[in-house]
Amino acid sequence: MTVKPVRVGVVGFGYWGPNLVRNLDKLGDAELVAACDMSEVNLAKLSALYPGVATTTDLDELLSGHALDAVVVATSAPSHFAIAKKVIEAGMHCFVEKPLTLRSADAEELVRLADERGVVLMVGHLMEYHSAINWIRDYIASGELGDVLYLYAQRLNLGKVRTEENAFWSLAPHDVSIVLYLIGETPDRVSANGVAVLHGGVHDTVFANLHFPSGKMANIHVSWLDPHKVRRFTIVGTRKMLVFDDMEATEKIWIYDKGVEPAEALGYGEDLRLRFGDITVPFIPMLEPLALEVQHFLDCCADGSTPRSDGRDGLRVVRVLEAVDQSMAAGGAPVQTIVEV
Ligand SMILES: NC(=O)c1ccc[n+]([C@@H]2O[C@H](COP(=O)([O-])OP(=O)(O)OC[C@H]3O[C@@H](n4cnc5c(N)ncnc54)[C@H](O)[C@@H]3O)[C@@H](O)[C@H]2O)c1
């Protein structure tokens, strides 16, 4: 039996949209039918690369004129909610780039609408499709790391400075989604502080603490005002410790057989002993996360299954981003977050 390709439309062909379009074009399960962008210049770039794809600056025309099954939204974040709402109301499956929306109430509405219409809603939490992150998730599940005690993420660089959203909204959606994906929990309390110097009130650097009902804790440090380019994740478990360095081309994961243990047998009056063991670097075959993400969306469109990064996952992340803003506005005071979705 031949499966019909999913007829896809795209909204937004700026910086990131072309990467999604490239993958949609090369995957056999998709037929890229039409594209919409408010910029004629960007549509002309698309037409030069994909001459068979219809283009329009009018979203309504995109939705009504091409018998689409699904729409991929890669516009700037403030427009996500209005565009995704129209797509879902038109009865089409919808992929939205991260963050799903800028307000949790809007994300809740999209989740509810998608449920009502019976369409797939997926958010572009790319790192959930990263081979190394999935390797780490399996490793945690295997028990080798022991219980996860805490973890911290650093996403630092000099630039790209933004003026509308702060560094946390711009850089941290990936880190928040990784933390929630790896721990398998939603935080119930968030506290954060930041530094806002370049544009009044827009934080350039943020240090956020996420506290989970199990007692685990995660710290996320993001900045576009830093001397180093860092994309690193450290997880400390009761048995081992793990570092994921996404700046490394191949040796991305380092596992340290280190820890602190009871030392009753020593009898020197010390009750704790430091343990230093092997450092291992597992080989992990890398596949392009974006290709895996786009294929997953097409698979979900084809069989109606719930995406790994579904609308509820998008909502959970937006709630954390919102709570970080609230905590910073309150001078770092803890903010309770909703765990249920
Ligand atoms: N997954 C990732 O790693 C990753 C990386 C970069 C960007 N992104 C996300 O992709 C999205 C787009 O980011 P970008 O950097 O490409 O932005 P961008 O500003 O470069 O491009 C946005 C495009 O959308 C068009 N657009 C904006 N509003 C529109 C509307 N209402 N109707 C039609 N077209 C509209 C603009 O003309 C532009 O061509 C954002 O949500 C961003 O967070 C994800």
Side-chain angles (χ1 to χ4, degrees):
M1 191 183 78
T2 337
V3 181
K4 270 198 335 187
V6 181
R7 289 175 62 83
V8 183
V10 172
V11 192
F13 196 76
Y15 160 68
W16 192 246
N19 294 322
L20 288 158
V21 168
R22 171 174 53 81
N23 277 288
L24 286 165
D25 181 59
K26 79 176 182 200
L27 295 173
D29 301 351
E31 183 184 350
L32 183 57
V33 178
C36 168
D37 197 298
M38 56 169 41
S39 157
E40 295 276 11
V41 173
N42 288 348
L43 286 179
K45 287 181 191 162
L46 185 141
S47 293
L49 291 165
Y50 310 96
V53 176
T55 60
T56 177
T57 53
D58 181 356
L59 179 62
D60 292 329
E61 188 187 315
L62 178 94
L63 298 180
S64 61
H66 302 280
L68 300 174
D69 300 310
V71 173
V72 168
V73 181
T75 57
S76 30
S79 60
H80 287 180
F81 172 62
I83 296 174
K85 188 169 181 219
K86 274 196 170 187
V87 171
I88 295 169
E89 284 177 340
M92 294 165 195
H93 305 302
C94 188
F95 173 98
V96 187
E97 257 310 327
K98 57 82 194 162
L100 178 57
T101 60
L102 294 185
R103 294 182 341 128
S104 56
D106 292 344
E108 281 165 18
E109 188 172 340
L110 292 184
V111 167
R112 186 180 50 74
L113 276 174
D115 284 352
E116 268 172 30
R117 301 294 163 124
V119 296
V120 169
L121 173 60
M122 173 164 158
V123 62
H125 289 164
L126 184 64
M127 296 303 285
E128 294 182 30
Y129 302 88
H130 194 300
S131 307
I133 293 297
N134 280 293
W135 191 94
I136 295 170
R137 197 167 187 259
D138 291 344
Y139 191 74
I140 292 173
S142 77
E144 281 288 311
L145 205 64
D147 293 334
V148 172
L149 297 173
Y150 72 93
L151 43 85
Y152 60 94
Q154 298 156 303
R155 192 173 294 268
L156 318 171
N157 201 4
L158 194 60
K160 175 185 180 194
V161 179
R162 297 189 188 260
T163 52
E164 285 177 6
E165 78 256 47
N166 66 31
F168 207 77
W169 281 87
S170 172
L171 301 171
H174 285 313
D175 300 300
V176 175
S177 79
I178 293 172
V179 169
L180 272 52
Y181 184 56
L182 290 182
I183 292 191
E185 274 185 76
T186 307
D188 55 2
R189 187 163 44 94
V190 167
S191 60
N193 269 306
V195 177
V197 284
L198 301 179
H199 287 95
V202 179
H203 287 90
D204 310 297
T205 302
V206 177
F207 299 86
N209 292 325
L210 279 51
H211 299 270
F212 294 84
S214 63
K216 295 181 178 60
M217 184 191 151
N219 177 272
I220 299 176
H221 172 199
V222 292
S223 181
W224 54 51
L225 187 58
D226 196 280
H228 303 115
K229 180 159 185 167
V230 179
R231 287 183 181 180
R232 194 179 300 131
F233 224 90
T234 303
I235 309 176
V236 173
T238 48
R239 294 185 59 203
K240 291 183 184 168
M241 303 178 183
L242 183 154
V243 175
F244 164 55
D245 189 344
D246 210 9
M247 294 306 296
E248 290 286 339
T250 50
E251 297 167 9
K252 286 182 182 286
I253 295 178
W254 296 63
I255 296 163
Y256 297 82
D257 187 6
K258 288 185 178 185
V260 182
E261 297 172 338
E264 299 108 18
L266 290 180
Y268 299 131
E270 295 179 21
D271 56 0
L272 290 175
R273 181 178 60 161
L274 307 185
R275 182 172 49 75
F276 298 89
D278 291 343
I279 301 169
T280 46
V281 181
F283 172 72
I284 298 159
M286 287 292 157
L287 301 166
E288 187 187 356
L290 192 57
L292 296 173
E293 181 187 67
V294 170
Q295 183 63 59
H296 183 63
F297 176 60
L298 297 172
D299 291 345
C300 292
C301 292
D303 65 15
S305 54
T306 304
R308 180 182 305 168
S309 52
D310 65 350
R312 286 176 170 77
D313 192 25
L315 168 60
R316 280 189 282 267
V317 170
V318 171
R319 279 183 178 151
V320 172
L321 301 174
E322 226 172 33
V324 163
D325 274 354
Q326 287 167 10
S327 176
M328 288 198 295
V335 171
Q336 301 296 322
T337 46
I338 302 170
V339 176
E340 302 302 325
V341 286

